């Protein structure tokens, strides 16, 4: 079982804001990165480090962290944001990478 | 632009060894600050990190798979490889190779992924 826990599914109305969370003790010490995965495709990095977006990722995606919880926020969700989202960081030992359980985002 | 491409058999028999190779273009596996990684995703399920290798050959494996996993690198071919022994149906998954950039001792992110290859374990 994963050491990083995410809500299985969330929904958001078109144009509204949704926050996806990732919880784990290791997040107090290590940064989290976030990945978007659409059906049949490889994951795509959307947020990394303190709150960095790779080139080409819209600025409606943002990241934050507090204590043992990291968050990915989509401000003004678009239809194309409907996807699975995974967080990634270290495990509690700090020695290994680990993915969160994943959150399916539905845009209504 | 870095590109990664997985190759290997799409069907493996139970108890045998799964072998995949990742060919890197547009970048070098000999570059520092990168962990060359393998990640898998069973059908309909989440992502699971398998392990990574540094260009020097040092490795780090998921503890749950460590007894069965070997990751190696061939700098002359700009490739790295995965071997997973004693496979069962539970190892059926899409296998991705990827590049993880790490920095600062407490941060990393996976910036490039292969397209993924489905490996089915079945007799």
């Amino acid at each position: 079982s994963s050491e990083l826990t995410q809500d299985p599914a969330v929904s958001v109305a078109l144009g509204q804001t949704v926050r996806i969370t990732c919880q784990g003790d290791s997040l107090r010490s290590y940064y989290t990165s976030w990945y978007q995965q659409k059906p049949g495709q490889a994951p795509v990095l959307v947020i990394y480090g303190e709150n960095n977006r790779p080139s080409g990722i819209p600025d409606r995606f943002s990241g934050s962290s507090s204590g043992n919880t990291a968050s990915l926020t989509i401000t003004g969700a678009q239809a194309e944001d409907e996807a699975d989202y995974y967080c990634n960081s270290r495990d509690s030992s700090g020695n290994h990478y680990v993915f969160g359980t994943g959150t399916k985002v539905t845009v209504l | 632009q870095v590109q990664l491409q997985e190759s290997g058999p799409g069907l493996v028999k139970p108890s045998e060894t799964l072998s995949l190779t990742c060919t890197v273009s547009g970048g070098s596996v000999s570059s520092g600050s990168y962990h060359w990684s393998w990640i898998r995703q069973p059908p309909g399920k989440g992502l699971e990190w398998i392990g990574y290798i540094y260009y020097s050959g040092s490795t780090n494996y998921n503890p749950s798979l460590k007894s069965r996993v070997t990751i190696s690198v061939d700098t002359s071919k700009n490739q790295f490889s995965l071997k997973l022994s004693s496979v069962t149906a539970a190892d059926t998954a899409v296998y991705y190779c990827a590049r993880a950039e790490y920095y600062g001792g407490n941060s990393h992110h996976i910036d490039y992924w292969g397209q993924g290859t489905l490996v089915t374990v079945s007799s």
Side-chain angles (χ1 to χ4, degrees), chain A residues 14-71:
Chain A
L14 185 67
Q16 297 303 301
T17 296
V18 62
R19 187 174 73 171
I20 305 160
T21 60
C22 174
Q23 289 190 303
D25 288 341
S26 64
L27 302 188
R28 299 181 187 277
S29 304
Y30 298 97
Y31 285 105
T32 305
S33 50
W34 290 92
Y35 303 84
Q36 176 193 71
Q37 186 181 34
K38 296 181 179 179
Q41 298 182 18
V44 172
L45 175 69
V46 294
I47 289 290
Y48 66 96
E50 288 212 17
N51 181 20
N52 301 303
R53 282 176 289 105
S55 173
I57 300 301
D59 60 6
R60 62 179 179 271
F61 289 90
S62 62
S64 61
S65 184
S66 178
N68 73 336
T69 302
S71 301

Side-chain angles (χ1 to χ4, degrees), chain A residues 31 35 37 88 95-97, chain B residues 35 41 49 60 106 108 110:
Chain A
Y31 285 105
Y35 303 84
Q37 186 181 34
N88 177 253
N95 293 325
H96 309 292
Y97 295 170
Chain B
H35 289 152
Q41 185 171 37
W49 173 71
N60 192 335
N106 64 345
H108 74 274
I110 304 164

Side-chain angles (χ1 to χ4, degrees), chain A residues 17 26 80 93 104:
Chain A
T17 296
S26 64
E80 60 264 32
S93 74
K104 182 176 182 57

